[in-house]
Amino acid sequence: MENLHRVLMRTDYTILKNVLSKASAIGLTPGQPKILEFLYPDLETDQKTIAANCFIEQATVGSILLNMEKKGLVERFRKDGNRRSLYVKLTNKGKNKAEEMLNIFSFIDEEATKLLTDDGKKEIIVLLNKICEALNDK
């Protein structure tokens, strides 16, 4: 029997490879797909919150957002009363790209679980969440 960590690393690598390949085909670079998904459709939030929810270092999020802003996918702005933090939201172009990415994520999810029953699909999500919970308790 394989070790759990090896199976999880291989699974993560395989899914990520598929996501990045399809994301690249629509003009996105690593990090951008999960930020688009997180902000979709109308979330306005700061860089720190994006980093925490997308599991990306805050400094890395800054450079990803700069590239996304140059492509017209997001806009950054300051909110009244908070002059220190920059907030981010999707532009219309960003929303369209996010919808494309959501379709890609759905397709990959379906492909990844096509050999599982509906109950098996639910169970694997429950089990993986339990694994994360157990490791986050440490």
Side-chain angles (χ1 to χ4, degrees):
M1 183 167 134
E2 289 185 84
N3 292 322
L4 176 64
H5 73 276
R6 298 278 304 157
V7 173
L8 290 174
M9 286 190 307
R10 189 175 75 238
T11 303
D12 179 59
Y13 170 79
T14 304
I15 289 174
L16 186 60
K17 183 176 72 168
N18 278 270
V19 167
L20 292 180
S21 171
K22 291 185 180 338
S24 176
I26 63 168
L28 298 175
T29 59
Q32 292 178 348
K34 53 186 158 184
I35 291 174
L36 288 170
E37 179 185 37
F38 178 66
L39 293 174
Y40 184 82
D42 291 314
L43 183 62
E44 295 179 356
T45 192
D46 60 43
Q47 185 173 310
K48 182 178 180 180
T49 302
I50 293 170
N53 284 276
C54 293
F55 310 104
I56 305 172
E57 293 296 323
Q58 194 170 340
T60 304
V61 168
S63 63
I64 294 170
L65 289 172
L66 181 62
N67 288 331
M68 292 176 77
E69 189 173 32
K70 287 177 183 176
K71 290 181 179 181
L73 301 174
V74 298
E75 76 176 77
R76 298 195 278 185
F77 59 95
R78 297 197 191 284
K79 282 192 173 184
D80 293 337
N82 188 346
R83 295 175 41 179
R84 291 185 350 179
S85 294
L86 278 175
Y87 286 77
V88 180
K89 70 177 183 178
L90 293 177
T91 61
N92 286 334
K93 182 178 179 182
K95 288 178 188 179
N96 291 335
K97 199 60 80 168
E99 288 169 357
E100 286 182 74
M101 206 55 236
L102 290 172
N103 288 331
I104 289 169
F105 285 137
S106 287
F107 173 79
I108 291 172
D109 284 356
E110 285 300 315
E111 283 296 300
T113 59
K114 68 184 176 188
L115 301 178
L116 302 176
T117 63
D118 287 343
D119 286 342
K121 292 174 188 180
K122 291 175 188 171
E123 184 67 13
I124 196 148
I125 290 170
V126 168
L127 294 173
L128 290 171
N129 278 317
K130 284 183 180 182
I131 291 169
C132 287
E133 185 180 327
L135 293 175
N136 283 328
D137 285 346
K138 303 240 176 224

